[in-house]
C-alpha cells in the first residue's frame, strides 16, 4: 500500500485532480460517465507532464511486444519520478 501511495504522490497534481474528478462523477448514467471520463482523460493526456511520461515510456519500449509481455514495475517506477 505504501508503495502505491508513493507512486500516486509522484504524479502531477493536475493528474491526481483529474482522477478524483472522474471517480466522483456520481450516477449520471453510463454513457454520460464514459463520455466525461474520456474528456478528462484526453485533457490529462495532453498536459506537459503526461507528454513527457509518454515519450519516456515509448523510448524504453512501451507498446512493443517484448515490453508489453513483462511486468511494468521497472517501467512505472522511474516514470513516476519524472
Amino acid at each position: 500500500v505504501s508503495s502505491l501511495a508513493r507512486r500516486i504522490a509522484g504524479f502531477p497534481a493536475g493528474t491526481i485532480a483529474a482522477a478524483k474528478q472522474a471517480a466522483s462523477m456520481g450516477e449520471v448514467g453510463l454513457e454520460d460517465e464514459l463520455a466525461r471520463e474520456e474528456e478528462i482523460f484526453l485533457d490529462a493526456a495532453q498536459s506537459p507532464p503526461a507528454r513527457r511520461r509518454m515519450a519516456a515510456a515509448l523510448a524504453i519500449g512501451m507498446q512493443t511486444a517484448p515490453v508489453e509481455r513483462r511486468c511494468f514495475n521497472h517501467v512505472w517506477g522511474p516514470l513516476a519520478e519524472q
Side-chain angles (χ1 to χ4, degrees):
V1 172
S2 60
S3 171
L4 176 60
R6 278 191 303 276
R7 207 171 110 206
I8 291 171
F11 286 104
T15 302
I16 294 170
K20 287 180 179 180
Q21 183 182 8
S24 67
M25 284 189 290
E27 295 291 325
V28 296
L30 181 59
E31 288 181 13
D32 290 336
E33 286 181 25
L34 290 173
R36 181 66 182 129
E37 185 177 309
E38 178 184 36
E39 182 181 321
I40 291 167
F41 169 78
L42 292 174
D43 286 344
Q46 294 178 36
S47 71
R51 288 179 172 272
R52 284 192 301 274
R53 283 188 165 96
M54 285 186 273
L58 292 172
I60 59 174
M62 288 296 290
Q63 296 197 336
T64 62
V67 172
E68 294 288 326
R69 287 188 196 109
R70 289 189 274 161
C71 176
F72 292 121
N73 290 338
H74 70 286
V75 173
W76 300 127
L79 291 178
E81 296 167 5
Q82 291 186 5

